[in-house]
Amino acid sequence: MNPPSYGHSPPLHHPVPQHVSSVPQLRSPPPPVPSQQQSGYGNPYQQQQQQGGASANNFLGQYGQLMNDPTAQVAAQFGQTAFKHGQEYLEQNVNRWFNFATLKPYFQVTNSYVINKLYIVLFPWRHKPWSRKQTPGPNGQEGWFQPPRDDINSPDMYIPVMAVVTYVLLSTLISGLRGEFQPEVLGKTASTALVVVIIEMLVLKLGCYLLGISNQSQLLDLIAYSGYKFVGMIATIAIAELANGGQGTGGWVGWAIFSYTFLANSLFLMRSLKYVLLPESSGGVGGPMATDSRAKRSQRTQFLFAYSYLVQFVFMWALTRV
């Protein structure tokens, strides 16, 4: 028996894949735009830095535009010219009374000079010689002294200036250790030291006028030598304070130390100032001047003795009473 015939079955259709002509590309999302208003836990430093950079760029741009302006250039040139003329006018008028260029050699010191000079000031008993070294001048004449860095007997102003500052600080420190420090102590000590220096300069100026010493370099030498006494006063105050257990410079210990430093300073001045006040021969510009007569030489000897012993004793005693 034949199986029944159901006719022809329809053909099977498979899905045909459709080819896409172009494949879309994947792109990363754009970065988030920083908002002006962030939460309270934002980064304010970054905002300030961005604002500061923008302000700086704006300032540079405005400054560049201003400098390119012809009017601004003329104003800048006028300001530079006015400053230059003002500086020249100031130098000319100040130099009428005092020439600051002459001070430069007095600060030409070295470490070895400072150490050796302090030793000579405190222990002048065996130091020799005391004469200063001379060097030929521009035209070959004699009488030009060498600076402190090349001559240990040359006066300087570095040690006196530093000694004055150290004296003021040391006196203030001792007042603080005793429990007596007040803000006025520092100003009072500095004012007292300054007044003493000014009075001593006036005394030297008067003495130079009466003795006929008109050379400015010799007057500056006298001013430099007047500041070396602060070295002895610093040693007196420091040693007496340690030896007396914080009782100051009173007692026999304080007087013994003061007597030594006073005599050492006086001998140092007597030996050092001899070439200024008692020259033996005349020299060129800036050198020692000749003694006119025996009477003037005697007057200068008396002035040297009075200044080295009497004047120094009064000032050193007054300044060491701390």
Side-chain angles (χ1 to χ4, degrees), residues 126-139:
R126 301 185 62 180
H127 174 70
K128 289 182 180 180
W130 291 89
S131 60
R132 295 184 59 181
K133 298 179 181 180
Q134 297 184 5
T135 182
N139 298 326

Side-chain angles (χ1 to χ4, degrees), residues 29 35 46 59 73 99 101 136 140 156 195 222 236 253 256-257 263 283 313:
S35 60
Q46 184 177 4
F59 175 76
Q73 295 179 357
N99 188 7
D156 70 283
V195 169
L222 294 176
T236 301
V253 177
I257 300 173
L263 293 176
F313 177 83

Side-chain angles (χ1 to χ4, degrees), residues 268-281:
F268 171 78
L269 292 178
M270 286 287 293
R271 299 285 180 85
S272 300
L273 294 178
K274 185 177 180 181
Y275 79 95
V276 179
L277 299 177
L278 302 174
E280 297 178 356
S281 60

Side-chain angles (χ1 to χ4, degrees), residues 1-10:
M1 183 175 181
N2 294 329
S5 173
Y6 296 96
H8 298 284
S9 62

Side-chain angles (χ1 to χ4, degrees), residues 52-70:
S55 301
N57 293 331
N58 295 333
F59 175 76
L60 292 177
Q62 295 176 2
Y63 180 76
Q65 295 177 0
L66 179 63
M67 293 306 297
N68 292 329
D69 189 1

Side-chain angles (χ1 to χ4, degrees), residues 210-228:
L210 296 177
L211 298 176
I213 301 176
S214 59
N215 196 324
Q216 187 179 14
S217 63
Q218 292 175 328
L219 178 60
L220 292 178
D221 290 350
L222 294 176
I223 295 175
Y225 281 116
S226 66
Y228 286 110

